[in-house]
Amino acid sequence: MIQSTLISNYFKWRINIFMSCLIICAFVLVSCSSDGSSGGGTETSTTPKNLVVSAVVVGTSIQNPNGDGSGKVNFNISATNATSYKILLGNGEVQEITNGVFTYTYTASGINTYAIYVSAYNGAKFVSTSTSITLYVTPTSIWADEFNIDGAPDSSKWGYNTGAGGWGNNESQYYTTRSDNVIVSGGTLKIISKKEIYQSSNYTSARLLSKGKFSFKYGKVEFRAKFPTGGGTWPAVWMLGDNIDTAPWPACGEIDILEEVGNNLNVNHSSLHSPGRSGNTPDTSTVTVPNGNSEFHVYTMDWRADFIKFYVDNQLYYTFTNSASVPFNQNFFLIINSAMGGNFGGTIDPNFVSSTFEVDYIRVYN
């Protein structure tokens, strides 16, 4: 009887301890869940609000409405309850920051408008807004030839193509490296096309190229030039894809910044050649430039990932829509030449003796 009572009391004691433990655990669990720190994780962060974005272009004034050309923009971003910010800057760049006060420098030259998207975060919760800015960035020269040193063209910048036929264009000249056909003098590059028998060809001229010395992807090319005179002349400033040795034309792409033919004076052509759109390409446009053979004019190409624009004397006359489906998103090198006759140059005037293609400078900007 005594032993039975002891056993009963023992089991009651054990049950009381077990129940006390359950009560304590339940209290701890309730306490943990109420402050949002339990493993189950009830979200307690507060959604940010009152998101304000200020984007001030540095150097803006009445004289410079799009800034001082530095490309700098001062950002001041704030939001109640925000712990971090994500900013899409409109040029493919993204900033993720905890302090909304910072300065960013845009680098694409010229006047550009950027759509900016901003999100303020607190944990997984966020609020977003957008704004836009227009700013001017002074172009930075990345390569140039001013043709100020008399003699042969600068060998660190230019090589030569030599030979006859024009590589499939049925041209009539033989390209040489002679000073009779190419020379820098009086502040200009002079490519001289001549009627003469040379290496079984009836005409001579020259073709310079920067292949292996300079190439670039995207930017602005500007040159000042005066064209030769005479039926059959065909001067050009153009570019080919750097990969031409492994991706033969037209897979490498061709950008004709400017061509003119003497049989159609004062009409300038800008064209792009690519697979399925080569030869007599549909991607072309013309502009009439009075006195292009007796006066210098400034010709410009603005090449970007989404467009290629062509200008003469700062007047836009052709815009090509660039995309990933065409080969105009890789490095290209420069070519300056003056052909005679051929598929595009046409019939050569039988009275033609000699004429000069002059280039005052050629400059490439970022």
Side-chain angles (χ1 to χ4, degrees):
M1 185 69 177
I2 294 173
Q3 185 177 6
S4 175
T5 301
L6 288 173
I7 293 172
S8 177
N9 289 336
Y10 173 78
F11 279 106
K12 287 181 182 180
W13 174 72
R14 291 293 302 268
I15 290 170
N16 287 336
I17 292 176
F18 177 73
M19 292 301 297
S20 297
C21 289
L22 286 179
I23 292 171
I24 292 171
C25 288
F27 177 80
V28 170
L29 287 173
V30 171
S31 298
C32 290
S33 63
S34 67
D35 66 10
S37 60
S38 71
T42 302
E43 180 62 63
T44 61
S45 61
T46 303
T47 302
K49 60 182 179 179
N50 303 323
L51 176 58
V52 176
V53 177
S54 171
V56 178
V57 178
V58 173
T60 301
S61 65
I62 295 176
Q63 293 77 21
N64 301 299
N66 298 309
D68 59 9
S70 67
K72 293 182 178 180
V73 179
N74 292 328
F75 286 91
N76 193 324
I77 302 169
S78 62
T80 305
N81 301 318
T83 57
S84 64
Y85 302 94
K86 184 175 182 178
I87 304 99
L88 280 65
L89 290 155
N91 61 349
E93 296 291 326
V94 178
Q95 293 274 333
E96 295 189 38
I97 55 178
T98 55
N99 183 353
V101 180
F102 67 99
T103 298
Y104 182 81
T105 302
Y106 289 85
T107 59
S109 62
I111 298 176
N112 298 285
T113 297
Y114 298 97
I116 298 167
Y117 297 89
V118 179
S119 295
Y121 286 85
N122 186 348
K125 295 184 177 181
F126 66 94
V127 62
S128 300
T129 189
S130 63
T131 187
S132 67
I133 55 172
T134 299
L135 72 157
Y136 170 71
V137 175
T138 303
T140 301
S141 177
I142 59 173
W143 184 93
D145 198 335
E146 302 295 327
F147 302 116
N148 287 334
I149 300 176
D150 288 357
D154 187 341
S155 61
S156 70
K157 298 178 179 179
W158 301 105
Y160 300 88
N161 281 141
T162 58
W167 294 272
N169 286 324
N170 300 309
E171 298 161 17
S172 298
Q173 81 290 327
Y174 192 101
Y175 285 129
T176 83
T177 63
R178 304 178 308 165
S179 59
D180 286 354
N181 295 116
V182 56
I183 193 166
V184 176
S185 66
T188 66
L189 169 72
K190 296 174 174 66
I191 295 181
I192 306 157
S193 300
K194 305 177 73 172
K195 184 177 183 178
E196 61 176 332
I197 304 298
Y198 186 88
Q199 298 289 335
S200 300
S201 295
N202 294 320
Y203 301 88
T204 58
S205 190
R207 174 160 142 167
L208 306 182
L209 67 163
S210 69
K211 185 173 186 285
K213 300 174 185 291
F214 170 73
S215 65
F216 68 106
K217 174 183 174 181
Y218 307 142
K220 184 174 77 170
V221 177
E222 178 183 285
F223 66 93
R224 185 173 180 264
K226 181 173 66 174
F227 298 112
T229 300
T233 56
W234 177 10
V237 177
W238 52 299
M239 306 196 304
L240 285 172
D242 229 10
N243 63 343
I244 188 171
D245 293 335
T246 55
W249 188 91
C252 63
E254 175 181 332
I255 303 174
D256 299 325
I257 303 173
L258 199 286
E259 300 176 282
E260 195 211 47
V261 293
N263 286 314
N264 192 12
L265 282 178
N266 302 323
V267 177
N268 298 159
H269 301 254
S270 294
S271 309
L272 300 103
H273 301 266
S274 57
R277 305 177 77 82
S278 58
N280 189 20
T281 177
D283 299 318
T284 187
S285 186
T286 62
V287 61
T288 299
V289 183
N291 306 315
N293 300 72
S294 59
E295 299 175 352
F296 284 93
H297 293 272
V298 176
Y299 303 90
T300 305
M301 177 199 68
D302 185 358
W303 172 29
R304 308 192 188 190
D306 53 348
F307 65 76
I308 306 175
K309 295 184 177 182
F310 300 87
Y311 302 77
V312 59
D313 295 331
N314 294 317
Q315 298 300 310
L316 175 67
Y317 62 90
Y318 179 40
T319 299
F320 171 82
T321 301
N322 198 11
S323 69
S325 65
V326 290
F328 307 121
N329 300 283
Q330 60 176 322
N331 277 32
F332 274 64
F333 60 87
L334 295 161
I335 305 172
I336 305 175
N337 73 288
S338 191
M340 292 296 299
N343 299 341
F344 194 54
T347 302
I348 301 173
D349 183 349
N351 296 315
F352 177 86
V353 176
S354 178
S355 193
T356 301
F357 177 26
E358 286 192 74
V359 181
D360 182 23
Y361 62 79
I362 182 165
R363 301 165 181 163
V364 182
Y365 300 92
N366 67 314

